[in-house]
Amino acid sequence: MSKRYFIETWGCQMNDHDSEKLAGTLETMGFEVTQEASDADVYLLNTCTIREKAAEKVFSRLGVIRQMKQNRGGEMVIGVTGCVAQQEGAQIFSRAPYVDLVLGTQALKSLPDMMDRIEQRQGHQVNVDKDPDNHLFPVKQISRKAKLKGLITIMEGCDNYCTYCIVPFTRGRERSRPVADIVAEARMLAEQGTKEIELLGQNVNSYYSTVSFAELLRQLNEIESLHVIRYISPHPKDFDRDVIETIRDCPKIATNIHLPAQSGNSRILKRMGREHTRNHYLEKVSMIREILGNQCSLTSDFIVGFPGELDSEFNETVTLLEEVGYDRIFSFMYSPRPGTGALKHGDPVPQSVKHERLQILQKRQLEIQKQRMEARIGQEVCVLVDAIKLGERFPVSGRTRDNLLVHLDVGELAPESLFSRSLPVTITGAGVHTLRGRLGVS
Ligand code: 5AD
Ligand code: SF4
Protein backbone atom coordinates (compact mmCIF):
# COMPACT_ATOMS: atom_id res chain seq x y z
CA MET A 1 0.00 0.00 0.00
CA SER A 2 1.34 3.43 -0.82
CA LYS A 3 2.27 5.88 1.89
CA ARG A 4 -0.14 8.63 2.84
CA TYR A 5 0.18 12.32 3.54
CA PHE A 6 -1.99 14.91 5.27
CA ILE A 7 -1.46 18.68 5.05
CA GLU A 8 -3.06 21.12 7.50
CA THR A 9 -3.04 24.70 6.21
CA TRP A 10 -3.41 27.96 8.12
CA GLY A 11 -3.30 31.52 6.82
CA CYS A 12 -3.81 33.05 3.42
CA GLN A 13 -4.42 31.84 -0.15
CA MET A 14 -0.67 31.93 -0.78
CA ASN A 15 -0.35 29.27 1.90
CA ASP A 16 -3.26 27.28 0.44
CA HIS A 17 -1.44 27.25 -2.85
CA ASP A 18 1.90 26.33 -1.27
CA SER A 19 0.08 23.35 0.23
CA GLU A 20 -1.04 22.39 -3.27
CA LYS A 21 2.60 22.55 -4.37
CA LEU A 22 3.74 20.45 -1.39
CA ALA A 23 0.90 17.95 -2.03
CA GLY A 24 1.92 17.63 -5.68
CA THR A 25 5.55 17.12 -4.68
CA LEU A 26 4.61 14.31 -2.30
CA GLU A 27 2.41 12.74 -4.98
CA THR A 28 5.27 12.70 -7.48
CA MET A 29 7.21 10.83 -4.78
CA GLY A 30 4.44 8.20 -4.63
CA PHE A 31 2.45 9.40 -1.63
CA GLU A 32 -1.36 9.51 -1.62
CA VAL A 33 -3.51 12.00 0.21
CA THR A 34 -5.55 10.79 3.21
CA GLN A 35 -8.52 12.52 4.80
CA GLU A 36 -7.72 10.83 8.12
CA ALA A 37 -4.98 12.84 9.81
CA SER A 38 -4.13 10.04 12.20
CA ASP A 39 -3.42 7.69 9.26
CA ALA A 40 -0.74 9.90 7.76
CA ASP A 41 2.82 8.71 7.22
CA VAL A 42 3.71 12.36 6.58
CA TYR A 43 1.93 15.21 8.36
CA LEU A 44 2.74 18.74 7.27
CA LEU A 45 1.54 21.74 9.28
CA ASN A 46 1.64 24.75 6.95
CA THR A 47 1.66 27.75 9.27
CA CYS A 48 0.94 31.48 9.34
CA THR A 49 2.48 34.16 11.55
CA ILE A 50 0.69 37.33 10.55
CA ARG A 51 -0.80 38.05 13.97
CA GLU A 52 -0.82 37.12 17.66
CA LYS A 53 0.97 34.23 19.26
CA ALA A 54 1.47 32.34 16.01
CA ALA A 55 4.37 30.28 17.34
CA GLU A 56 2.44 29.38 20.52
CA LYS A 57 -0.47 28.14 18.46
CA VAL A 58 1.87 26.03 16.36
CA PHE A 59 3.48 24.37 19.37
CA SER A 60 0.12 23.67 20.91
CA ARG A 61 -1.13 22.07 17.68
CA LEU A 62 2.13 20.12 17.37
CA GLY A 63 1.38 18.60 20.79
CA VAL A 64 -1.76 17.03 19.30
CA ILE A 65 0.04 15.81 16.19
CA ARG A 66 2.78 14.33 18.39
CA GLN A 67 0.10 12.21 20.08
CA MET A 68 -0.93 10.85 16.65
CA LYS A 69 2.71 10.02 15.96
CA GLN A 70 2.98 8.16 19.27
CA ASN A 71 -0.20 6.22 18.48
CA ARG A 72 1.54 5.05 15.30
CA GLY A 73 4.58 3.87 17.23
CA GLY A 74 6.57 6.88 16.03
CA GLU A 75 6.00 6.07 12.35
CA MET A 76 4.98 9.54 11.20
CA VAL A 77 7.14 12.24 9.65
CA ILE A 78 6.07 15.58 11.10
CA GLY A 79 6.96 18.70 9.13
CA VAL A 80 6.44 22.37 9.92
CA THR A 81 6.24 24.55 6.81
CA GLY A 82 5.10 28.09 6.01
CA CYS A 83 5.74 31.39 7.71
CA VAL A 84 6.33 30.14 11.27
CA ALA A 85 8.84 27.63 9.88
CA GLN A 86 10.60 30.46 8.04
CA GLN A 87 10.62 32.63 11.15
CA GLU A 88 11.65 30.05 13.76
CA GLY A 89 13.87 27.74 11.68
CA ALA A 90 15.75 25.05 13.61
CA GLN A 91 14.61 26.50 16.94
CA ILE A 92 11.44 24.49 16.40
CA PHE A 93 13.39 21.29 17.10
CA SER A 94 14.52 22.46 20.53
CA ARG A 95 10.93 22.88 21.71
CA ALA A 96 9.48 20.03 19.66
CA PRO A 97 12.21 17.43 19.01
CA TYR A 98 9.60 15.02 17.61
CA VAL A 99 9.29 17.31 14.55
CA ASP A 100 11.33 15.84 11.68
CA LEU A 101 11.52 18.68 9.20
CA VAL A 102 11.25 22.46 9.04
CA LEU A 103 10.75 23.84 5.56
CA GLY A 104 10.67 27.59 4.93
CA THR A 105 8.47 29.48 2.49
CA GLN A 106 11.13 29.86 -0.17
CA ALA A 107 12.56 26.36 -0.32
CA LEU A 108 9.56 24.28 -1.39
CA LYS A 109 11.56 22.45 -4.05
CA SER A 110 13.87 20.93 -1.43
CA LEU A 111 11.16 18.74 0.11
CA PRO A 112 12.13 15.52 -1.78
CA ASP A 113 15.78 15.77 -0.68
CA MET A 114 14.74 16.38 2.91
CA MET A 115 12.38 13.40 2.81
CA ASP A 116 15.16 11.20 1.43
CA ARG A 117 17.48 12.17 4.25
CA ILE A 118 14.77 11.46 6.82
CA GLU A 119 14.24 8.06 5.21
CA GLN A 120 17.96 7.42 5.62
CA ARG A 121 17.60 8.30 9.32
CA GLN A 122 19.82 11.37 9.03
CA GLY A 123 17.91 13.21 11.78
CA HIS A 124 16.33 16.65 11.85
CA GLN A 125 16.12 18.40 8.48
CA VAL A 126 15.79 22.15 8.10
CA ASN A 127 15.81 24.40 5.04
CA VAL A 128 14.91 28.05 5.41
CA ASP A 129 17.10 29.18 2.52
CA LYS A 130 15.85 31.90 0.24
CA ASP A 131 15.75 30.38 -3.21
CA PRO A 132 15.18 33.38 -5.50
CA ASP A 133 13.47 31.05 -7.99
CA ASN A 134 11.00 29.57 -5.52
CA HIS A 135 8.18 31.27 -7.43
CA LEU A 136 9.14 29.30 -10.55
CA PHE A 137 7.62 26.09 -9.24
CA PRO A 138 7.02 23.31 -11.82
CA VAL A 139 3.37 23.67 -12.77
CA LYS A 140 2.88 19.97 -13.49
CA GLN A 141 3.82 19.22 -9.92
CA ILE A 142 0.90 21.14 -8.38
CA SER A 143 -1.95 19.06 -6.99
CA ARG A 144 -4.97 21.36 -7.06
CA LYS A 145 -7.80 20.97 -4.60
CA ALA A 146 -10.58 22.55 -6.62
CA LYS A 147 -11.31 22.11 -10.30
CA LEU A 148 -13.61 25.09 -10.79
CA LYS A 149 -11.20 27.59 -9.28
CA GLY A 150 -7.46 27.55 -9.91
CA LEU A 151 -4.82 29.41 -7.91
CA ILE A 152 -1.86 30.76 -9.89
CA THR A 153 1.27 32.33 -8.40
CA ILE A 154 2.24 35.43 -10.37
CA MET A 155 4.70 36.99 -7.95
CA GLU A 156 6.11 36.41 -4.50
CA GLY A 157 7.49 38.57 -1.76
CA CYS A 158 7.21 42.12 -0.55
CA ASP A 159 9.52 45.13 -0.72
CA ASN A 160 7.33 47.59 1.18
CA TYR A 161 8.34 46.97 4.80
CA CYS A 162 5.22 48.41 6.41
CA THR A 163 6.36 48.73 10.00
CA TYR A 164 3.74 46.35 11.49
CA CYS A 165 4.18 43.56 8.95
CA ILE A 166 6.23 40.38 9.08
CA VAL A 167 5.61 39.35 5.46
CA PRO A 168 8.85 40.78 3.94
CA PHE A 169 10.77 38.69 6.48
CA THR A 170 8.84 35.47 5.89
CA ARG A 171 8.31 35.74 2.15
CA GLY A 172 11.41 37.59 0.97
CA ARG A 173 11.87 40.22 -1.72
CA GLU A 174 9.55 40.71 -4.69
CA ARG A 175 9.99 38.40 -7.70
CA SER A 176 7.60 38.14 -10.66
CA ARG A 177 6.99 35.18 -12.96
CA PRO A 178 7.39 35.53 -16.73
CA VAL A 179 4.11 36.46 -18.39
CA ALA A 180 4.26 33.56 -20.86
CA ASP A 181 4.43 31.02 -18.00
CA ILE A 182 1.41 32.54 -16.29
CA VAL A 183 -0.68 32.66 -19.45
CA ALA A 184 0.30 29.07 -20.31
CA GLU A 185 -0.73 27.89 -16.83
CA ALA A 186 -4.06 29.73 -17.08
CA ARG A 187 -4.73 28.21 -20.52
CA MET A 188 -3.91 24.74 -19.28
CA LEU A 189 -6.33 25.13 -16.36
CA ALA A 190 -9.04 26.54 -18.64
CA GLU A 191 -8.66 23.52 -20.91
CA GLN A 192 -9.13 21.27 -17.89
CA GLY A 193 -12.45 22.94 -17.00
CA THR A 194 -11.38 25.70 -14.63
CA LYS A 195 -13.76 28.66 -14.86
CA GLU A 196 -12.20 30.98 -12.32
CA ILE A 197 -8.57 31.74 -11.70
CA GLU A 198 -7.14 33.63 -8.77
CA LEU A 199 -3.77 35.30 -9.30
CA LEU A 200 -1.65 35.22 -6.18
CA GLY A 201 1.12 37.35 -4.76
CA GLN A 202 1.91 39.11 -1.50
CA ASN A 203 1.62 42.33 -3.56
CA VAL A 204 -0.13 40.90 -6.54
CA ASN A 205 -0.58 44.14 -8.49
CA SER A 206 3.08 45.08 -8.01
CA TYR A 207 3.63 42.36 -10.63
CA TYR A 208 6.20 43.44 -13.14
CA SER A 209 8.07 41.46 -15.75
CA THR A 210 8.30 42.32 -19.44
CA VAL A 211 4.72 43.54 -19.09
CA SER A 212 2.74 45.38 -16.44
CA PHE A 213 0.00 43.94 -14.23
CA ALA A 214 -2.62 45.65 -16.43
CA GLU A 215 -1.20 44.02 -19.56
CA LEU A 216 -1.11 40.63 -17.84
CA LEU A 217 -4.81 41.06 -17.01
CA ARG A 218 -5.56 41.95 -20.63
CA GLN A 219 -3.81 38.84 -21.89
CA LEU A 220 -5.61 36.57 -19.42
CA ASN A 221 -8.95 38.13 -20.32
CA GLU A 222 -8.48 36.69 -23.83
CA ILE A 223 -8.66 33.08 -22.63
CA GLU A 224 -12.01 32.03 -23.92
CA SER A 225 -13.38 29.45 -21.52
CA LEU A 226 -12.42 31.37 -18.37
CA HIS A 227 -15.30 33.25 -16.73
CA VAL A 228 -13.70 35.12 -13.84
CA ILE A 229 -10.19 36.35 -13.06
CA ARG A 230 -9.52 37.35 -9.44
CA TYR A 231 -6.29 38.47 -7.77
CA ILE A 232 -5.11 38.76 -4.19
CA SER A 233 -3.66 40.62 -2.28
CA PRO A 234 -3.19 44.01 -3.91
CA HIS A 235 -1.39 47.11 -2.65
CA PRO A 236 -3.18 50.48 -3.07
CA LYS A 237 -0.10 52.12 -4.63
CA ASP A 238 -0.28 49.85 -7.67
CA PHE A 239 -3.90 50.51 -8.58
CA ASP A 240 -3.21 53.08 -11.27
CA ARG A 241 -5.59 54.36 -13.94
CA ASP A 242 -4.36 51.78 -16.44
CA VAL A 243 -5.25 48.89 -14.10
CA ILE A 244 -8.68 50.28 -13.21
CA GLU A 245 -9.53 51.03 -16.85
CA THR A 246 -8.40 47.53 -17.78
CA ILE A 247 -10.75 46.12 -15.14
CA ARG A 248 -13.56 48.22 -16.62
CA ASP A 249 -12.81 47.11 -20.18
CA CYS A 250 -12.15 43.40 -19.61
CA PRO A 251 -15.39 41.68 -18.61
CA LYS A 252 -13.72 38.69 -16.97
CA ILE A 253 -11.70 40.63 -14.44
CA ALA A 254 -13.34 40.71 -11.01
CA THR A 255 -14.58 44.13 -9.96
CA ASN A 256 -14.05 43.90 -6.23
CA ILE A 257 -11.28 46.32 -5.44
CA HIS A 258 -9.47 45.45 -2.24
CA LEU A 259 -7.76 48.64 -1.17
CA PRO A 260 -6.15 48.04 2.24
CA ALA A 261 -6.11 51.39 4.05
CA GLN A 262 -4.98 50.11 7.52
CA SER A 263 -5.87 53.48 9.11
CA GLY A 264 -7.78 56.65 8.28
CA ASN A 265 -5.28 58.94 9.99
CA SER A 266 -2.27 60.32 8.13
CA ARG A 267 0.08 60.45 11.14
CA ILE A 268 -0.55 56.79 11.94
CA LEU A 269 -0.24 55.87 8.26
CA LYS A 270 3.18 57.51 8.19
CA ARG A 271 4.20 55.61 11.31
CA MET A 272 3.00 52.44 9.66
CA GLY A 273 5.27 53.18 6.70
CA ARG A 274 2.32 53.23 4.31
CA GLU A 275 2.82 55.25 1.17
CA HIS A 276 -0.53 57.01 1.24
CA THR A 277 -2.04 59.77 3.34
CA ARG A 278 -5.76 59.87 4.03
CA ASN A 279 -6.19 62.31 1.15
CA HIS A 280 -4.19 60.27 -1.35
CA TYR A 281 -6.26 57.30 -0.42
CA LEU A 282 -9.54 59.15 -0.89
CA GLU A 283 -8.33 60.42 -4.26
CA LYS A 284 -7.71 56.83 -5.32
CA VAL A 285 -11.19 55.83 -4.19
CA SER A 286 -12.64 58.69 -6.28
CA MET A 287 -10.64 57.61 -9.31
CA ILE A 288 -11.93 54.04 -8.93
CA ARG A 289 -15.54 55.16 -8.50
CA GLU A 290 -15.22 57.53 -11.45
CA ILE A 291 -14.03 54.72 -13.73
CA LEU A 292 -15.97 51.73 -12.42
CA GLY A 293 -19.08 53.49 -11.09
CA ASN A 294 -21.48 51.24 -9.25
CA GLN A 295 -20.07 48.14 -10.80
CA CYS A 296 -17.46 47.51 -8.17
CA SER A 297 -17.33 46.59 -4.52
CA LEU A 298 -14.70 48.13 -2.30
CA THR A 299 -13.05 46.31 0.60
CA SER A 300 -10.23 47.10 2.98
CA ASP A 301 -8.07 45.90 5.87
CA PHE A 302 -7.66 47.91 9.08
CA ILE A 303 -5.45 47.68 12.12
CA VAL A 304 -6.67 49.29 15.37
CA GLY A 305 -4.47 50.15 18.33
CA PHE A 306 -1.26 50.69 16.38
CA PRO A 307 1.36 52.10 18.82
CA GLY A 308 0.51 55.69 19.72
CA GLU A 309 -2.93 55.72 18.07
CA LEU A 310 -5.03 58.33 19.92
CA ASP A 311 -8.81 58.17 20.24
CA SER A 312 -9.13 61.07 17.82
CA GLU A 313 -6.90 59.27 15.31
CA PHE A 314 -8.90 56.09 15.60
CA ASN A 315 -12.03 58.17 14.96
CA GLU A 316 -10.59 59.12 11.60
CA THR A 317 -10.62 55.44 10.71
CA VAL A 318 -14.31 55.36 11.56
CA THR A 319 -14.99 58.43 9.44
CA LEU A 320 -13.01 56.90 6.57
CA LEU A 321 -15.41 53.96 6.63
CA GLU A 322 -18.29 56.41 6.40
CA GLU A 323 -16.72 58.45 3.60
CA VAL A 324 -15.73 55.51 1.44
CA GLY A 325 -18.68 53.17 2.07
CA TYR A 326 -16.97 49.78 2.01
CA ASP A 327 -18.77 46.58 1.11
CA ARG A 328 -16.60 44.58 3.54
CA ILE A 329 -13.72 45.22 5.87
CA PHE A 330 -11.25 42.95 7.60
CA SER A 331 -10.13 44.50 10.87
CA PHE A 332 -7.53 43.43 13.38
CA MET A 333 -6.02 44.49 16.71
CA TYR A 334 -2.38 45.47 16.33
CA SER A 335 -0.03 42.71 17.34
CA PRO A 336 3.75 43.25 17.58
CA ARG A 337 5.67 40.97 15.22
CA PRO A 338 9.30 39.92 15.66
CA GLY A 339 11.84 41.88 13.66
CA THR A 340 9.41 44.57 12.42
CA GLY A 341 10.02 48.33 12.48
CA ALA A 342 7.10 49.18 14.77
CA LEU A 343 8.63 47.20 17.64
CA LYS A 344 10.62 50.28 18.62
CA HIS A 345 7.37 52.00 19.67
CA GLY A 346 6.44 49.15 22.04
CA ASP A 347 2.79 48.16 22.29
CA PRO A 348 1.36 51.00 24.39
CA VAL A 349 -2.35 50.80 23.51
CA PRO A 350 -3.98 48.59 26.17
CA GLN A 351 -5.66 45.42 25.00
CA SER A 352 -9.01 46.63 26.37
CA VAL A 353 -8.78 49.81 24.26
CA LYS A 354 -7.85 47.84 21.14
CA HIS A 355 -10.77 45.57 21.78
CA GLU A 356 -13.18 48.45 22.23
CA ARG A 357 -11.95 50.14 19.03
CA LEU A 358 -12.36 46.95 17.08
CA GLN A 359 -15.96 46.60 18.31
CA ILE A 360 -16.77 50.20 17.39
CA LEU A 361 -15.27 49.81 13.93
CA GLN A 362 -16.98 46.54 13.17
CA LYS A 363 -20.36 47.75 14.44
CA ARG A 364 -20.19 50.86 12.26
CA GLN A 365 -19.17 48.79 9.27
CA LEU A 366 -22.13 46.45 9.68
CA GLU A 367 -24.50 49.43 9.60
CA ILE A 368 -22.85 50.75 6.44
CA GLN A 369 -22.75 47.30 4.89
CA LYS A 370 -26.44 46.65 5.55
CA GLN A 371 -27.37 49.78 3.62
CA ARG A 372 -25.02 48.97 0.78
CA MET A 373 -26.30 45.42 0.48
CA GLU A 374 -29.94 46.54 0.52
CA ALA A 375 -29.22 49.04 -2.24
CA ARG A 376 -28.43 46.08 -4.49
CA ILE A 377 -31.96 44.70 -4.44
CA GLY A 378 -33.33 44.89 -7.98
CA GLN A 379 -29.89 44.87 -9.63
CA GLU A 380 -29.26 42.46 -12.50
CA VAL A 381 -25.96 40.66 -12.19
CA CYS A 382 -24.03 37.65 -13.44
CA VAL A 383 -23.32 34.88 -10.92
CA LEU A 384 -20.82 32.05 -11.31
CA VAL A 385 -22.33 29.09 -9.42
CA ASP A 386 -19.52 27.64 -7.29
CA ALA A 387 -21.29 25.68 -4.55
CA ILE A 388 -24.12 23.15 -4.40
CA LYS A 389 -25.18 22.13 -0.90
CA LEU A 390 -28.11 19.75 -1.17
CA GLY A 391 -30.43 19.75 1.82
CA GLU A 392 -29.93 23.45 2.60
CA ARG A 393 -32.66 26.04 2.22
CA PHE A 394 -30.84 27.56 -0.76
CA PRO A 395 -28.75 24.73 -2.17
CA VAL A 396 -27.26 26.79 -5.00
CA SER A 397 -24.89 29.70 -4.43
CA GLY A 398 -22.27 31.63 -6.29
CA ARG A 399 -20.44 34.93 -6.50
CA THR A 400 -20.99 38.12 -8.43
CA ARG A 401 -18.23 39.64 -10.50
CA ASP A 402 -17.54 41.92 -7.54
CA ASN A 403 -17.28 38.93 -5.21
CA LEU A 404 -20.51 39.03 -3.23
CA LEU A 405 -22.06 35.73 -2.19
CA VAL A 406 -25.53 35.14 -3.64
CA HIS A 407 -27.92 32.35 -2.61
CA LEU A 408 -30.08 31.48 -5.59
CA ASP A 409 -33.73 30.61 -5.89
CA VAL A 410 -33.69 28.25 -8.88
CA GLY A 411 -37.32 27.12 -9.00
CA GLU A 412 -37.75 23.60 -10.38
CA LEU A 413 -34.26 23.32 -11.85
CA ALA A 414 -31.97 20.56 -10.59
CA PRO A 415 -29.27 22.25 -8.49
CA GLU A 416 -26.49 20.01 -9.80
CA SER A 417 -27.19 21.06 -13.37
CA LEU A 418 -26.19 24.63 -12.51
CA PHE A 419 -22.74 24.00 -11.06
CA SER A 420 -19.93 25.99 -12.76
CA ARG A 421 -22.35 27.97 -14.90
CA SER A 422 -22.39 31.77 -15.16
CA LEU A 423 -26.02 32.80 -14.90
CA PRO A 424 -28.02 36.02 -15.18
CA VAL A 425 -29.62 36.79 -11.83
CA THR A 426 -31.89 39.45 -10.35
CA ILE A 427 -31.12 40.35 -6.74
CA THR A 428 -34.25 39.91 -4.62
CA GLY A 429 -33.02 40.15 -1.05
CA ALA A 430 -30.08 41.21 1.08
CA GLY A 431 -28.62 40.28 4.44
CA VAL A 432 -25.55 41.90 5.96
CA HIS A 433 -23.21 39.29 4.48
CA THR A 434 -25.08 37.63 1.62
CA LEU A 435 -27.54 38.41 -1.14
CA ARG A 436 -30.48 36.45 -2.46
CA GLY A 437 -31.38 36.24 -6.10
CA ARG A 438 -33.61 34.54 -8.64
CA LEU A 439 -32.52 33.21 -11.99
CA GLY A 440 -33.21 35.45 -14.92
CA VAL A 441 -33.30 39.15 -15.62
CA SER A 442 -36.17 41.28 -16.88
N1 5AD B 1 -1.05 43.24 13.61
C1 5AD B 1 -2.35 43.26 13.24
N2 5AD B 1 -2.77 43.12 11.97
C2 5AD B 1 -1.81 42.94 11.03
N3 5AD B 1 -1.89 42.77 9.70
C3 5AD B 1 -0.65 42.61 9.22
N4 5AD B 1 0.26 42.68 10.20
C4 5AD B 1 -0.44 42.90 11.35
C5 5AD B 1 -0.07 43.07 12.70
N5 5AD B 1 1.20 43.06 13.08
C6 5AD B 1 -3.16 42.82 8.96
C7 5AD B 1 -3.15 43.97 7.93
C8 5AD B 1 -2.99 43.24 6.64
C9 5AD B 1 -3.73 41.96 6.92
C10 5AD B 1 -3.43 40.84 5.99
O1 5AD B 1 -3.34 41.63 8.24
O2 5AD B 1 -4.40 44.63 8.01
O3 5AD B 1 -3.52 43.95 5.54
FE1 SF4 C 1 0.20 34.27 7.04
FE2 SF4 C 1 1.18 36.36 5.73
FE3 SF4 C 1 2.45 34.07 5.67
FE4 SF4 C 1 0.12 34.33 4.38
S1 SF4 C 1 2.07 35.41 3.95
S2 SF4 C 1 0.73 32.63 5.65
S3 SF4 C 1 -0.97 35.71 5.81
S4 SF4 C 1 2.11 35.36 7.47
Side-chain angles (χ1 to χ4, degrees), residues 2-7 19-35 42 44 111-112 115 137 140-145:
S2 61
K3 295 204 164 199
R4 285 163 297 211
Y5 73 87
F6 186 89
I7 305 182
S19 288
E20 294 182 332
K21 293 175 180 174
L22 294 168
T25 306
L26 289 168
E27 285 169 20
T28 54
M29 295 169 68
F31 286 86
E32 268 175 25
V33 67
T34 172
Q35 307 306 325
V42 178
L44 300 183
L111 181 63
M115 292 292 295
F137 192 85
K140 295 215 162 53
Q141 207 171 302
I142 302 175
S143 174
R144 294 170 199 271
K145 260 208 203 138

Side-chain angles (χ1 to χ4, degrees), residues 50-51 164-165 260 262 301-303 332-337:
I50 192 85
R51 288 174 292 269
Y164 51 80
C165 189
Q262 312 298 355
D301 293 346
F302 289 99
I303 296 175
F332 312 100
M333 293 186 280
Y334 171 71
S335 132
R337 304 282 74 208

Side-chain angles (χ1 to χ4, degrees), residues 370 372-379 381 394 404-409 425-438:
K370 186 165 184 291
R372 293 189 62 79
M373 294 289 273
E374 282 169 2
R376 292 175 185 265
I377 296 177
Q379 280 184 5
V381 296
F394 294 103
L404 295 175
L405 181 61
V406 188
H407 293 297
L408 293 177
D409 180 358
V425 166
T426 304
I427 300 301
T428 53
V432 185
H433 301 289
T434 57
L435 297 168
R436 279 223 316 267
R438 66 168 166 75

Side-chain angles (χ1 to χ4, degrees), residues 30-80:
F31 286 86
E32 268 175 25
V33 67
T34 172
Q35 307 306 325
E36 245 350 288
S38 53
D39 281 349
D41 298 288
V42 178
Y43 193 125
L44 300 183
L45 181 60
N46 195 6
T47 60
C48 167
T49 182
I50 192 85
R51 288 174 292 269
E52 288 170 292
K53 304 202 177 79
E56 291 314 307
K57 284 187 203 157
V58 168
F59 286 112
S60 120
R61 183 70 192 140
L62 282 173
V64 176
I65 301 169
R66 173 196 202 177
Q67 192 58 53
M68 295 182 208
K69 179 168 180 160
Q70 281 170 349
N71 293 345
R72 292 173 53 86
E75 289 304 308
M76 178 189 270
V77 173
I78 302 180
V80 180

